[in-house]
């Protein structure tokens, strides 16, 4: 599909392209026209914001199969994974995610292409700015006013996870060679950098920030730049010194953890670990009936470990929920005090502001990941409040976190009980969700994920897929959802090759053939899983997507008993796989097949014996070890049910 955009220098030809077999899903659905509208709005917005019109002639966007990346900002021909072509129903959050990626890559036409960092230690001048700009433009011009809510939940969540790993690094990193450069396309360079930029915009003011950006591009268009070049432009326009800010945020690792302690009367203390300068708001919420209502806020600048504040309440009154970082203005982990946690558990979904809910959802999940909030209690909060969560991204993230908590953080004694209960919650909420809504689709997907661990609804799911029972009214039972449900049935032993063959006859597309591999590999038979394991490592004909599908089958249902015998084989293979495979294939194998054992012994033995392994491989293994260590720790501190 083609179109034009009228730029300051004349018309620019636009194109949206994909494989012919996917064209009906992209063009007939109206998605291609939506993409063109976002593209026109983005080109106008960035041209005005950065003071230079789009400089690269035409602007084509092509969705390609078997793509290693999410997208790539080639001037004039931006490439995207064709996963952004939705073959079935898509939520607002999915469409927003696609728009964000479109605008992220478009921002690179200025940050990265028009002005390019001199060396890889300033990679953030490219990726952090594009990540920030994608969200900012999605709100300002892209038609997605909740993009910062999604950013708070997803991008910051990625950054917080990455920043707590032993492999974290400063946003402005020391990159001595290209091997080191390969390691830093991660949650620090993208999401933490964008989070910090959001703070910088607030610090210098939005108008001054974009005036500084225009000064920067005017001085350095078609050239190479450094951190100092950008800071100088921003300082000139804002009148603020940014060297201290840079030292505190761009040149350090880790994050502060911010909480509020209640004192006598209206006295409060804002407490932070790993002190940094923060400008934030402490939100004050009180119960009015069964609802939590915001009844004030305290704007504070904090630098030290403890900062005194005072709540604007009359004597004897106090807040039921105190929310540090209300509005998500700074980059920090938030921990709620006990009374606030109780209030959130009771009435989280009654808070009107989606951004406040995002901060609370993130805080509860962080507390669960740190072993401070019991998995069973977290699942109770999710079950109680997600049926009323009207932000599609927050809903999808909470559902995914619930499934992850059951598989990774629950003890062996808890897991089956929690998995059965979660499937029942998902099933009943699916049937109660409004017909044709984003929530209905999100819960249908949650049912598929939950049913891969619990077979309690296998008969019902099989009947719906076979057409002998009705699906919930308004639910689009498209090919994507059918394959998800069938994979779940296969993982619990309630579907086999015959059902997979029948589904492939319904959907013989390349995506259908890929999903077919997962269903076959997911069958809970030791020899089936062994054959899939060997194929993942040894079948060099597997494409990227087919390898992913095979690995998904091996891991389906969390059936550790079917793959535990391969733990030693994994560590015997990864070094040769890293040497003989492409970077992307090796990454998928090392991450996707890492043993989720009950001990760190094997991974520690490998790390000790392979100190000379390539840095990229060691980093992957170290990060997987860190995740396993967290899993084991959180399980160890769970209270008995």
């Amino acid at each position: 599909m083609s179109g034009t955009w009228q730029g300051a220098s004349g018309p620019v030809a636009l194109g949206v392209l994909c494989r012919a077999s996917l064209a009906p899903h992209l063009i007939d659905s109206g998605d291609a026209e939506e993409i063109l509208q976002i593209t026109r709005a983005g080109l106008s917005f960035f041209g005005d914001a950065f003071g230079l019109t789009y400089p690269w002639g035409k602007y084509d966007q092509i969705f390609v199969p078997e793509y290693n990346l999410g997208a790539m900002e080639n001037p004039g021909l931006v490439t995207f994974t064709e996963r952004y072509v939705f073959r079935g129903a898509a939520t607002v959050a999915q469409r927003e995610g696609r728009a964000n990626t479109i605008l992220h890559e478009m921002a690179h036409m200025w940050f990265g292409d028009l002005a390019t960092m001199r060396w890889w230690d300033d990679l953030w001048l490219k990726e952090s700015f594009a990540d920030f700009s994608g969200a900012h433009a999605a709100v300002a011009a892209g038609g997605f006013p909740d993009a910062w809510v999604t950013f708070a939940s997803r991008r910051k969540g990625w950054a917080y996870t990455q920043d707590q790993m032993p492999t974290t690094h400063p946003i402005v990193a020391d990159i001595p060679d290209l091997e080191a450069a390969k390691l830093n396309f991660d949650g620090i360079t993208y999401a933490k950098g964008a989070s910090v930029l959001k703070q910088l915009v607030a610090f210098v003011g939005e108008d001054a920030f974009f005036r500084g950006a225009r000064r920067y591009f005017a001085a350095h268009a078609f050239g190479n730049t450094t951190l100092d070049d950008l800071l100088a432009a921003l300082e000139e326009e804002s009148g603020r010194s940014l060297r201290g800010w840079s030292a505190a945020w761009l040149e350090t690792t880790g994050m502060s953890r911010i909480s509020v302690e209640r004192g006598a009367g209206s006295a409060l203390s804002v407490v932070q670990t790993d002190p940094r300068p923060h400008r934030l708001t402490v939100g004050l919420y009180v119960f009015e009936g069964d609802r939590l209502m915001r009844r004030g806020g305290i704007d504070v600048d904090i630098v030290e470990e403890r900062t005194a504040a005072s709540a604007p309440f009359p004597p004897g009154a106090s807040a039921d929920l105190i929310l540090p970082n209300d509005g998500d203005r700074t980059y920090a982990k938030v921990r709620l005090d006990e009374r606030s946690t109780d209030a959130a558990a009771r009435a989280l979904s009654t808070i009107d502001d989606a951004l406040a809910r995002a901060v609370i959802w993130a805080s509860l999940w962080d507390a669960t990941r740190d072993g401070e909030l019991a998995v069973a209690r977290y699942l109770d909060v999710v079950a109680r409040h997600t049926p009323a969560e009207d932000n599609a991204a927050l809903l999808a993230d909470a559902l995914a976190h619930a499934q992850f908590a059951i598989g990774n953080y629950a003890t062996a004694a808890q897991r089956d009980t929690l998995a059965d209960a979660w499937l029942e919650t998902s099933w009943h909420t699916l049937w109660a969700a409004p017909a044709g809504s984003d929530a209905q689709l999100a819960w249908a997907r949650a049912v598929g994920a939950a049913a891969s661990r619990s077979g309690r609804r296998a008969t019902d799911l099989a009947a719906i897929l076979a057409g002998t029972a009705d699906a919930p009214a308004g639910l689009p039972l498209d090919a994507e959802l059918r394959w998800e449900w069938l994979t779940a049935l296969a993982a619990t032993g309630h579907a086999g090759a015959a059902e997979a063959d029948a589904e492939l006859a319904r959907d013989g597309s390349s995506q259908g053939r890929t999903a077919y591999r997962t269903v076959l590999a997911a069958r809970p038979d030791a020899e089936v899983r062994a054959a899939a394991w060997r194929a993942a490592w040894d079948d060099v004909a597997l494409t990227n997507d087919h390898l992913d599908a095979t690995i998904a089958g091996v891991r389906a249902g969390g059936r550790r008993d079917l793959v535990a015998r391969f733990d030693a084989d994994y560590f015997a293979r990864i070094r040769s796989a890293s040497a003989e495979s492409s970077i992307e294939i090796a990454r998928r194998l090392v991450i996707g097949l890492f043993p989720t054992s009950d001990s760190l012994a094997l991974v520690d033995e490998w790390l000790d014996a392979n100190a000379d392994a390539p840095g990229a491989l060691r980093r992957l293994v170290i990060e997987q070890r860190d995740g396993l260590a967290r899993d084991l720790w959180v399980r160890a501190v769970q209270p008995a049910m």
Side-chain angles (χ1 to χ4, degrees):
M1 188 170 184
S2 61
T4 58
W5 168 72
Q6 187 62 42
S9 301
V12 172
L14 309 178
V16 179
L17 305 95
C18 69
R19 290 190 290 164
S21 60
L22 286 178
H25 302 291
L26 184 64
I27 297 173
D28 296 349
S29 67
D31 278 13
E33 182 55 43
E34 178 179 295
I35 290 168
L36 287 175
Q37 290 174 358
I38 291 167
T39 302
R40 293 185 185 101
L43 290 171
S44 296
F45 176 80
F46 286 132
D48 291 342
F50 300 147
L52 290 170
T53 194
Y54 173 71
W56 306 110
K58 70 181 180 70
Y59 199 92
D60 288 336
Q61 297 171 96
I62 184 168
F63 297 85
V64 297
E66 298 286 349
Y67 199 44
N68 285 344
L69 308 173
M72 186 66 194
E73 69 274 14
N74 315 291
L77 180 62
V78 183
T79 47
F80 298 87
T81 171
E82 66 181 18
R83 288 192 294 273
Y84 285 119
V85 179
F86 306 129
R87 293 202 308 150
T91 66
V92 170
Q94 288 176 278
R95 291 175 46 244
E96 179 195 293
R98 181 174 64 192
N100 191 295
T101 301
I102 289 169
L103 295 167
H104 174 116
E105 302 308 322
M106 188 182 294
H108 276 314
M109 301 300 153
W110 288 266
F111 281 108
D113 292 346
L114 183 61
T116 305
M117 69 276 184
R118 186 167 298 166
W119 182 243
W120 295 101
D121 50 3
D122 279 324
L123 177 61
W124 80 289
L125 283 174
K126 174 169 122 67
E127 297 301 348
S128 298
F129 276 83
D131 224 40
F132 164 80
S133 298
H136 184 79
V139 172
F144 293 94
D146 281 347
W148 284 123
V149 178
T150 306
F151 181 89
S153 182
R154 296 185 174 175
R155 302 307 279 183
K156 276 195 167 181
W158 178 28
Y160 293 151
T161 297
Q162 189 82 52
D163 215 5
Q164 294 174 84
M165 290 182 176
T167 55
T168 189
H169 57 86
I171 296 170
V172 176
D174 180 22
I175 306 295
D177 52 40
L178 292 179
E179 178 69 20
K182 289 189 296 186
L183 303 180
N184 283 352
F185 286 83
D186 59 14
I188 302 299
T189 299
Y190 283 76
K192 181 179 179 179
S195 302
V196 168
L197 276 176
K198 187 170 183 272
Q199 294 171 222
L200 176 61
V201 173
F203 181 63
V204 302
E206 186 172 317
D207 289 343
F209 177 83
F210 283 107
R211 288 198 308 270
R214 288 191 284 272
R215 176 183 288 269
Y216 169 78
F217 287 119
H220 303 288
F222 302 102
N224 298 101
T225 61
T226 66
L227 167 64
D228 283 343
D229 295 325
L230 180 68
L231 293 182
L234 293 175
E235 287 178 334
E236 186 70 25
E237 292 297 337
S238 70
R240 287 180 175 268
S241 173
L242 299 178
R243 307 301 157 158
W245 176 88
S246 175
W249 287 105
L250 300 181
E251 301 164 39
T252 62
T253 63
M255 73 192 80
S256 307
R257 189 176 92 165
I258 296 177
S259 59
V260 175
E261 294 180 358
R262 301 172 189 257
S266 62
L268 302 173
S269 293
V270 183
V271 181
Q272 67 164 321
T273 62
D274 194 10
R276 288 180 174 81
H278 299 271
R279 176 172 292 178
L280 57 88
T281 299
V282 177
L284 306 171
Y285 294 77
V286 299
F287 277 111
E288 294 186 5
D290 292 329
R291 298 183 63 83
L292 277 171
M293 306 296 290
R294 193 177 191 275
R295 288 296 176 256
I298 310 168
D299 293 328
V300 292
D301 289 298
I302 63 174
V303 177
E304 308 299 334
E305 290 185 6
R306 183 176 294 268
T307 303
S310 180
F313 284 120
S318 61
D320 294 297
L321 185 149
I322 298 175
L323 181 57
N325 200 25
D326 198 7
D328 195 43
R329 294 170 63 191
T330 197
Y331 175 83
K333 287 177 67 171
V334 166
R335 190 67 86 240
L336 302 178
D337 69 298
E338 184 175 355
R339 181 177 170 186
S340 296
T341 299
D342 290 344
R346 174 183 161 189
L348 168 57
S349 57
T350 70
I351 296 174
D352 290 332
D353 182 18
L355 194 53
R357 297 198 307 275
V359 175
I360 295 170
W361 277 120
S363 177
L364 296 174
W365 178 236
D366 279 334
T368 305
R369 291 186 72 246
D370 290 345
E372 297 179 18
L373 184 68
V375 168
R377 190 176 189 203
Y378 177 75
L379 292 172
D380 180 68
V381 174
V382 175
R384 183 180 302 184
H385 294 294
T386 48
E389 178 55 69
D390 61 7
N391 182 279
L394 295 183
L395 173 60
D397 290 350
L399 299 182
H401 289 157
Q403 187 70 19
F404 188 91
I406 293 169
N408 291 70
Y409 298 152
T411 66
Q414 297 173 321
R415 196 167 296 132
D416 288 347
T417 299
L418 292 175
D420 287 344
W422 178 242
L423 175 58
E424 289 303 297
T425 294
S426 301
W427 179 259
H428 290 295
T429 311
L430 164 62
W431 285 87
S437 64
D438 280 0
Q440 184 187 54
L441 183 56
W443 283 105
R445 291 167 177 168
V447 164
S452 70
R453 288 190 174 275
S454 171
R456 290 171 65 97
R457 289 290 172 179
T459 300
D460 299 303
L461 290 173
I464 292 173
L465 291 178
T468 58
D470 291 332
L475 178 67
L477 195 62
D478 52 48
E480 301 296 330
L481 184 57
R482 291 183 63 87
W483 282 115
E484 287 181 35
W485 283 9
L486 186 60
T487 300
L489 291 173
T492 57
H494 293 89
E499 289 81 5
D501 289 344
E503 197 62 35
L504 185 63
R506 292 175 59 101
D507 177 24
S509 66
S510 63
Q511 293 90 339
R513 291 192 295 274
T514 299
Y516 176 77
R517 286 178 173 270
T518 300
V519 172
L520 293 182
R523 292 171 292 170
D525 177 274
E527 291 311 309
V528 167
R529 297 289 178 103
W533 174 273
R534 290 190 293 269
W537 294 101
D538 299 333
D539 187 350
V540 296
L542 289 177
T543 66
N544 292 340
D545 289 351
H546 286 179
L547 175 61
D548 280 347
T550 303
I551 291 173
V554 171
R555 302 298 295 267
R559 289 293 302 272
R560 169 77 184 148
D561 57 308
L562 297 174
V563 296
R565 57 181 164 148
F566 300 119
D567 288 0
D569 188 47
Y570 170 91
F571 289 106
R573 286 178 178 268
I574 55 174
R575 188 149 183 180
S576 59
S578 175
E580 297 166 7
S581 306
S582 69
I583 295 172
E584 186 59 27
I585 292 293
R587 187 190 69 82
R588 296 179 193 209
L589 288 167
V590 173
I591 294 175
L593 294 175
F594 182 83
T596 55
S597 65
D598 293 327
S599 168
L600 298 171
L602 283 178
V603 63
D604 286 343
E605 289 174 11
W606 187 91
L607 288 168
D608 289 343
N610 290 271
D612 63 336
L617 174 59
R618 281 187 60 85
R619 174 171 175 167
L620 290 176
V621 175
I622 288 169
E623 291 181 348
Q624 296 311 298
R625 182 205 183 277
D626 186 69
L628 177 58
R630 181 180 291 271
D631 292 353
L632 299 177
W633 158 253
V634 177
R635 289 176 209 160
V637 299
Q638 291 304 303
M641 292 181 64

